[in-house]
Amino acid sequence: MHAAAAAPFAMCIGNAFLTQRAGGLDNGVGLLPPLGYNTWNDMGCAGLSEAGVRAAADSLVATGLRDLGYRYVNLDDCWHDPSGRVPATGRLQEDPFRFPSGLAELGNYLHERGLKFGIYTDRGSLTCGGRPGSLGNEELDADTFARWGVDYVKEDNCFSSTGPNDQDAVFQQFGRFRDGLNKTGRPIYFSVCGGGGQLPLANLSYYATDPRGGGALANSWRVSSDCTVWVTCQNAYRIAADLGNAAGLGGFNDPDMLLGSSPGAARRLSPAQSRTQLSVWAILMAPLLIGAPLQSLSGYDLETYSNKEVLDVDQDLLRRQGSLLSKVGSRLVWGRELAGGDWALVFENDGWFRTHNVTCGSTCWGKMSFPTGTMLRVRDLWAHAAPTVARHWAVAGADYSVSVAPQGASVMLRFSCVVGATVVV
Ligand code: GLA
């Protein structure tokens, strides 16, 4: 390798912000992936309550997570009155025992604290938890939610009359809810969830690729069955990795919610896997909805979700989803191009037993926009410093290796062009 002549500035500033929408949905929300909290992985069905949701909201404020951008507080399944709709009006109603103040009042509570109010429904006759679904009442339910001050609707896929995979019914029924939301005039983020009723490792990429899906249908669309343990989260990220073309301003692939690693959580990953999940979700420009118990969040999880350098990757204004740059056995390198020309990379070791060097080699460099020989400064986004497990500089095109612990651990780095410096590889 030899030092060489200065390169033009243009090599370092290679892109412009994306200002066009990915698809046809134009509701003014979802300009960036939403950040927040969802009750499902934490409270499930049985544990959902008004007191619990208020406490979760208070924790978002107290921990500083709200001010980092986590604004959505989303009720998932089981908020409904199990006895059904209001007989006289046919409108959905909340469970009066779990939500004694009513959902409109809960919405006020959230809005007064600078938070946003999310809710859950289902395109079938029942939700996955057996509560009333929206089939045949899409417009009415959208109107009820708008009256309650809802800012985000997740619509699930259970108990449809023709099964979970009848694609015509999927797009017609979710489409009716989308139209109902548009009709309310209230800007409401719309998230469709194909996960319900699917096999554990289902691939739902048709939500992203069908012309009736993606950004024409919703602000985000699930691409897999639920991410509840590491192997199902891996299924979700592998599927989302190939769907970048469908994502952009106003519409995002959704590999499901964040799990965390807090002791006592109903569902959790190992601490290292939970950081890998946030890192890879940021590469994938995914919605970031925390499912860990906010009132008893471990210090480790709070540090994870507060990592502004990683959140900045997720919220990057280029709005170009990243992908898997290379995979050699269980050694994965993820990458995403950022506004201004930097790249964020995640070096992941999915082997079971040994620490490995995970390498960005020719395949990996070939998918990035740096001209061969460009000198790059490297920053570790979890250490908030130059890396200690790899070199603090890289040369585009030359192998760059990072030592990574096994079982889903990773190292996340940001490569920035050193203006004017190139070397011959
Ligand atoms: C499905 C969804 C989950 C959650 C539950 C609620 O499994 O995929 O995200 O909403 O239903 O019952």
Side-chain angles (χ1 to χ4, degrees):
M1 249 183 253
H2 309 284
F9 276 61
M11 286 188 173
C12 292
I13 307 165
N15 58 43
F17 293 178
L18 184 65
T19 51
Q20 295 302 305
R21 291 190 159 260
L25 190 75
D26 191 7
N27 57 8
V29 290
L31 302 181
L32 289 167
L35 273 60
Y37 165 82
N38 174 293
T39 56
W40 185 248
N41 285 328
D42 180 16
M43 304 181 194
C45 186
L48 185 68
S49 72
E50 179 179 313
V53 174
R54 287 185 183 219
D58 293 347
S59 299
L60 276 184
V61 178
T63 53
L65 289 170
R66 176 199 61 186
D67 294 339
L68 282 165
Y70 294 90
R71 299 216 163 239
Y72 287 96
V73 176
N74 294 353
L75 305 190
D76 208 277
D77 206 350
C78 303
W79 58 264
H80 325 63
D81 188 333
S83 72
R85 295 171 176 266
V86 180
T89 60
R91 288 185 185 268
L92 288 169
Q93 55 187 336
E94 63 280 81
D95 182 329
F97 298 103
R98 291 178 183 225
F99 293 93
S101 312
L103 288 193
E105 189 46 41
L106 182 62
N108 289 338
Y109 186 87
L110 298 175
H111 292 147
E112 280 162 11
R113 284 156 185 77
L115 297 166
K116 290 180 180 292
F117 179 22
I119 207 162
Y120 166 97
T121 188
D122 188 287
R123 73 177 177 90
S125 53
L126 296 172
T127 70
C128 301
R131 303 301 199 270
S134 286
L135 184 62
N137 287 294
E138 291 84 356
E139 196 177 317
L140 180 67
D141 292 352
D143 183 72
T144 304
F145 295 161
R147 288 186 188 196
W148 286 344
V150 161
D151 306 296
Y152 183 120
V153 171
K154 167 179 174 179
E155 188 171 29
D156 211 340
N157 191 41
C158 282
F159 292 104
S160 60
S161 48
T162 57
N165 287 319
D166 175 343
Q167 297 188 17
D168 289 339
V170 161
F171 293 118
Q172 275 164 19
Q173 291 166 6
F174 282 134
R176 284 209 293 268
F177 212 99
R178 170 205 55 206
D179 296 344
L181 290 172
N182 279 340
K183 214 169 163 189
T184 68
R186 183 176 172 83
I188 299 178
Y189 185 100
F190 186 39
S191 146
V192 294
C193 174
Q198 305 287 346
L199 295 171
L201 296 179
N203 181 333
L204 304 176
S205 47
Y206 72 88
Y207 276 85
T209 54
D210 192 289
R212 297 166 294 179
L217 179 66
N219 296 114
S220 54
W221 46 90
R222 285 277 299 279
V223 298
S224 65
S225 43
D226 294 5
C227 155
T228 52
V229 291
W230 187 232
V231 68
T232 50
C233 298
Q234 289 174 304
N235 179 55
Y237 73 33
R238 280 195 203 108
I239 296 167
D242 292 332
L243 299 173
N245 286 343
L249 184 70
F252 312 100
N253 292 300
D254 180 3
D256 203 9
M257 299 175 284
L258 302 172
L259 286 173
S261 65
S262 290
R267 289 190 178 129
R268 63 191 172 116
L269 301 173
S270 76
Q273 289 163 355
S274 74
R275 280 201 179 166
T276 298
Q277 190 190 22
L278 189 74
S279 303
V280 174
W281 266 226
I283 295 287
L284 295 173
M285 191 165 62
L288 302 178
L289 295 173
I290 297 174
L294 290 172
Q295 298 96 289
S296 56
L297 201 63
S298 66
Y300 182 92
D301 276 1
L302 180 57
E303 190 184 314
T304 301
Y305 296 134
S306 304
N307 188 331
K308 176 132 184 4
E309 294 195 74
V310 176
L311 299 181
D312 285 348
V313 173
D314 184 70
Q315 302 282 296
D316 182 75
L317 289 175
L318 184 61
R319 298 183 175 90
R320 186 170 295 162
Q321 182 188 308
S323 63
L324 194 54
L325 301 183
S326 69
K327 178 175 181 332
V328 179
S330 55
R331 305 169 204 198
L332 281 57
V333 184
W334 300 87
R336 175 172 175 188
E337 187 176 10
L338 304 174
D342 285 6
W343 277 72
L345 276 84
V346 176
F347 294 76
E348 178 182 343
N349 177 2
D350 266 325
W352 275 106
F353 303 111
R354 288 195 303 137
T355 295
H356 279 305
N357 274 336
V358 182
T359 302
C360 179
S362 54
T363 308
C364 168
W365 285 111
K367 292 185 184 162
M368 287 193 270
S369 48
F370 298 116
T372 300
T374 310
M375 275 289 285
L376 303 166
R377 193 176 58 246
V378 182
R379 181 172 170 83
D380 184 328
L381 300 189
W382 287 104
H384 307 294
T388 53
V389 286
R391 289 197 312 265
H392 62 266
W393 53 270
V395 178
D399 283 5
Y400 183 92
S401 295
V402 185
S403 172
V404 188
Q407 298 184 15
S410 64
V411 173
M412 188 172 194
L413 305 176
R414 184 169 179 138
F415 284 22
S416 311
C417 200
V418 179
V419 176
T422 58
V423 297
V424 177
V425 179

